[in-house]
Amino acid sequence: MTGATLTWQRLRDLRCAEFEDAGDGWHEISGRADSDRVRVERAMTAKLRETQDSDSAEAAIKRLERLSRNFRYVHAEAGLIRTALNGLAAELAAPQRQLAQALEDAERLKFTVHPDGSVSYPAAVGETLLGKQEHPGGSARGSARLPLEAPGPSERPGLPGGGFHPNPNAAKAEAVADLIARAVRSAAEIDDRYAKILNKLKAAKGLDVTKATLDDVFQDTAGVRSTASTYLARGIPWGESPAERKEWWDGLTEERQQEYIDVAPELVGGLDGIPATARDEANRNYLPVLIDELARQDGDDARTKLDALRGIEAKLGEPSRVPMFLLGIGDEGNGRAIVAYGNPDTSRNVSAYVPGLGTKLDEGFVDDTLKRGLDTARGARRYDASSSAIVWLGYDAPNIATVASTGNAEAGAPAYNQFMNGLGVTNQNDDPHVTAIGHSYGSLTVGTAANQDRGIPAADDIILLGSPGVGVDKAEDLGVGKEHVYVGAADNDPVTMLPSKRQSAVSVLAAAGGPFISYMAGDIADQGDDDVHFGKDPASEAFGAQRFKVDDGPHPVLDAGGFDAHSQYFTPERDKVSADNIALIVAGQPELIQMEEWR
């Protein structure tokens, strides 16, 4: 195979297991190279750096670094060969089964399959207008044309014009011959595809791994990913629950898991139910691929996302006392990014924050939104070191033109619930404490998620910050018990006082109608300050949640604060009380928070 002319006999006699055995050999080489790399870096290079300080030591370190790059290259390329061979074996299995079925049918019907793939059939009695008559045997040549492809100049060489043949064996022989021809055609296409990529996986003599060589690995990985996409995607439980996905993942060999992470990271990096460490490794591998794709695109949207992805890549490379995990990344819609500070699988306390109006994959997300997650994690870890805080941009937050609609929240809620379900499945603690956090329009997304059939999976507490309403009128409707719903609402935050839809309409009418209409509007609209745009004000007594203390923030007009009070809940430098209260709730110590009176 892989380059030789393919016949049905070669396909019949092919032993796919030999490709898999060869793949196992390359896997062993890949693993050995990686082990040697680790040994060089930790046992040799690191020791030299710690104990020696001389020109000769520096020269030795450079040679060891070169050796390490060599091992890294061998590890990557050998792994790609393994994947290609495994993919070749897996994909060839289907046409081989198809051929075996055709040959079995031919034997059962006592047909003869010739070396060129034609099928001879015996004489048989068939019905004619004159009654039953014996019709001579013949030969049928198969067509590799698939059912929806246009026919060639002659549809059936054995049947001029493709018409009816009085010998009933003729049609059966044609079916067998077609099956053989299609199996050989399919196998040949698979073989040709893999031959091309395997021929590219070659290293130059006198291997000296440079940056250009490592860039070549990047291109080789993309080629294998494209070639083996069918093989790699096969079996992934896309439509199943996170629990079933975890079961699938745990059932894979370590080799197969690493294959997904290294070669097809985009397939598993965002799969809820996969462990956080695997998702993080996969998404770190996928990030440069996504950056490369966006760098080749034109337009402001691509440039905005590209800058954001480069910013995330830079943060991932920075040392931090709170480890960063990339749980999801993508360029669909306004961009996707799910970032955890602290491992959500090993932490006892886990929060997942949904941002709101105007949030997208841009510089603001990298500099400001991610900092809110980091501040939450740092704050919670002061009270319980086993705490993780997640920023979840897994939906399209609305812009100013669509913020009055519930559409974005309704689209995002199922994805958020799926993610939260995955957190509960992969967490390794017996009884983890999970907090759902929604800020601004994100609180409506959280409220919409909580109002679905089974509520937010795994959530014990809900925090609503700067909320314009959550789609329900009572805290008890959010599924965690009203005593577990916490609200932060700054008195100078204009978003928490957005008028209800009814009040908005009446206000327009009043402004147009003068004093009498204004008086009537006072009777019609609810002026008790417990209605906001998406339902009851979560900070009101009517809603019934627990309101905690936050700083009032600058007044939008008198202090020229605009929306500043809406954006400081997470930030200890600007609102220490709010940030500390959030941290206490996330850390599972709500009894220590400072409470505030309802509105």
Side-chain angles (χ1 to χ4, degrees):
M1 300 295 290
T2 59
T5 302
L6 183 61
T7 63
W8 68 263
Q9 296 95 328
R10 289 177 63 85
L11 180 58
R12 176 198 60 192
D13 298 336
L14 178 68
R15 296 182 59 191
C16 290
E18 292 181 353
F19 292 123
E20 295 173 340
D21 291 342
D24 290 342
W26 284 103
H27 172 62
E28 185 178 344
I29 293 171
S30 177
R32 192 182 306 149
D34 195 44
S35 298
D36 290 342
R37 176 192 61 80
V38 172
R39 188 156 50 248
V40 167
E41 292 177 355
R42 294 181 182 176
M44 300 172 70
T45 307
K47 286 290 184 182
L48 271 176
R49 290 188 189 281
E50 292 172 5
T51 61
Q52 304 292 323
D53 184 14
S54 65
D55 292 342
S56 59
E58 189 63 32
I61 287 172
K62 287 182 179 179
R63 291 180 67 85
L64 288 172
E65 288 175 341
R66 175 184 173 183
L67 182 60
S68 179
R69 289 196 302 273
N70 276 278
F71 282 136
R72 184 180 294 115
Y73 179 79
V74 172
H75 165 67
E77 291 289 301
L80 292 176
I81 295 172
R82 171 207 63 197
T83 297
L85 289 171
N86 287 344
L88 176 62
E91 290 197 49
L92 283 174
Q96 192 177 48
R97 285 193 301 269
Q98 188 179 32
L99 173 64
Q101 181 62 56
L103 296 177
E104 183 182 319
D105 290 345
E107 184 178 2
R108 176 175 50 82
L109 294 167
K110 301 189 184 312
F111 294 167
T112 300
V113 180
H114 299 286
D116 64 356
S118 62
V119 178
S120 295
Y121 54 90
V125 175
E127 293 284 349
T128 70
L129 294 176
L130 301 176
K132 290 184 178 180
Q133 290 186 1
E134 183 170 315
H135 302 280
S139 180
R141 184 174 297 277
S143 169
R145 178 175 59 86
L146 298 175
L148 296 181
E149 291 180 333
S154 175
E155 290 191 14
R156 295 289 178 193
L159 287 177
F164 171 76
H165 197 295
N167 186 333
N169 284 327
K172 297 175 183 178
E174 288 164 10
V176 171
D178 283 353
L179 202 57
I180 293 171
R182 290 171 187 170
V184 172
R185 168 184 166 174
S186 176
E189 289 175 346
I190 293 168
D191 185 52
D192 181 64
R193 179 158 39 92
Y194 278 93
K196 288 177 180 177
I197 192 62
L198 283 167
N199 286 332
K200 291 180 179 179
L201 299 177
K202 295 178 180 179
K205 291 182 179 180
L207 179 62
D208 183 14
V209 177
T210 63
K211 182 179 182 302
T213 311
L214 293 176
D215 288 343
D216 187 53
V217 174
F218 182 83
Q219 297 301 323
D220 287 345
T221 302
V224 171
R225 182 187 305 116
S226 175
T227 299
S229 58
T230 300
Y231 155 69
L232 292 166
R234 184 178 298 153
I236 296 179
W238 303 108
E240 306 301 330
S241 69
E244 290 167 311
R245 292 173 179 174
K246 183 177 185 300
E247 183 179 359
W248 165 78
W249 181 260
D250 291 345
L252 298 175
T253 63
E254 186 177 332
E255 173 192 353
R256 189 80 165 108
Q257 290 177 353
Q258 199 62 45
E259 200 166 51
Y260 279 114
I261 290 170
D262 291 341
V263 184
E266 74 280 10
L267 298 182
V268 297
L271 207 56
D272 298 318
I274 302 300
T277 52
R279 290 179 68 164
D280 176 61
E281 187 179 355
N283 286 312
R284 285 174 189 252
N285 288 339
Y286 181 47
L287 185 56
V289 176
L290 199 53
I291 287 174
D292 182 66
E293 289 176 355
L294 286 171
R296 288 186 272 109
Q297 296 179 22
D298 295 323
D300 292 341
D301 181 64
R303 281 191 291 272
T304 297
K305 291 173 181 174
L306 178 62
D307 290 342
L309 292 177
R310 286 173 172 162
I312 291 174
E313 187 177 46
K315 284 186 178 294
L316 289 168
E318 295 171 358
S320 174
R321 294 181 62 183
V322 184
M324 187 174 174
F325 293 81
L326 188 59
L327 303 182
I329 198 74
D331 62 347
E332 58 265 38
N334 291 332
R336 301 286 186 267
I338 305 172
V339 177
Y341 290 95
N343 189 334
D345 290 349
T346 58
S347 297
R348 187 166 42 251
N349 306 295
V350 182
S351 67
Y353 146 55
V354 183
L357 172 64
T359 308
K360 60 182 180 179
L361 193 59
D362 60 4
E363 184 179 352
F365 176 84
V366 177
D367 295 339
D368 300 327
T369 308
L370 287 184
K371 184 180 182 299
R372 295 172 182 176
L374 180 57
D375 284 339
T376 300
R378 285 172 172 167
R381 287 159 80 98
R382 286 200 304 271
Y383 297 103
D384 188 339
S386 184
S387 297
S388 169
I390 299 168
V391 177
W392 185 84
L393 184 61
Y395 82 125
D396 281 334
N399 54 34
I400 197 67
T402 59
V403 71
S405 165
T406 61
N408 296 74
E410 290 165 358
Y416 183 67
N417 277 345
Q418 179 92 336
F419 175 76
M420 296 295 278
N421 192 352
L423 287 183
V425 166
T426 57
N427 192 279
Q428 299 167 15
N429 292 274
D430 291 336
D431 187 21
H433 170 244
V434 179
T435 304
I437 304 176
H439 172 243
S440 186
Y441 188 94
S443 67
L444 176 63
T445 304
V446 168
T448 304
N451 201 33
Q452 292 189 338
D453 288 344
R454 298 184 181 180
I456 301 175
D460 300 291
D461 295 313
I462 292 176
I463 300 177
L464 308 171
L465 301 164
S467 176
V470 295
V472 299
D473 289 335
K474 293 185 178 297
E476 62 195 45
D477 294 334
L478 295 179
V480 294
K482 64 180 182 180
E483 67 278 6
H484 291 282
V485 179
Y486 301 89
V487 175
D491 283 343
N492 287 329
D493 180 352
V495 174
T496 68
M497 299 179 184
L498 288 177
S500 68
K501 296 174 183 177
R502 188 177 184 187
Q503 288 172 325
S504 297
V506 170
S507 298
V508 172
L509 182 64
F516 176 73
I517 297 298
S518 296
Y519 173 78
M520 292 296 294
D523 291 334
I524 296 172
D526 184 348
Q527 301 297 314
D529 290 333
D530 61 357
D531 278 341
V532 286
H533 195 76
F534 295 113
K536 288 292 179 188
D537 178 3
S540 69
E541 182 176 5
F543 191 79
Q546 299 203 60
R547 185 185 182 194
F548 57 84
K549 191 171 183 61
V550 303
D551 188 271
D552 288 343
H555 192 279
V557 179
L558 299 179
D559 300 323
F563 282 81
D564 288 353
H566 182 62
S567 304
Q568 64 184 37
Y569 294 102
F570 296 91
T571 311
E573 297 87 354
R574 297 172 63 190
D575 190 344
K576 186 177 186 308
V577 175
S578 175
D580 199 47
N581 283 331
I582 294 169
L584 284 164
I585 298 166
V586 170
Q589 300 181 36
E591 67 278 3
L592 300 179
I593 65 177
Q594 298 182 51
M595 300 300 294
E596 180 71 277
E597 292 294 324
W598 287 312
R599 282 179 175 169

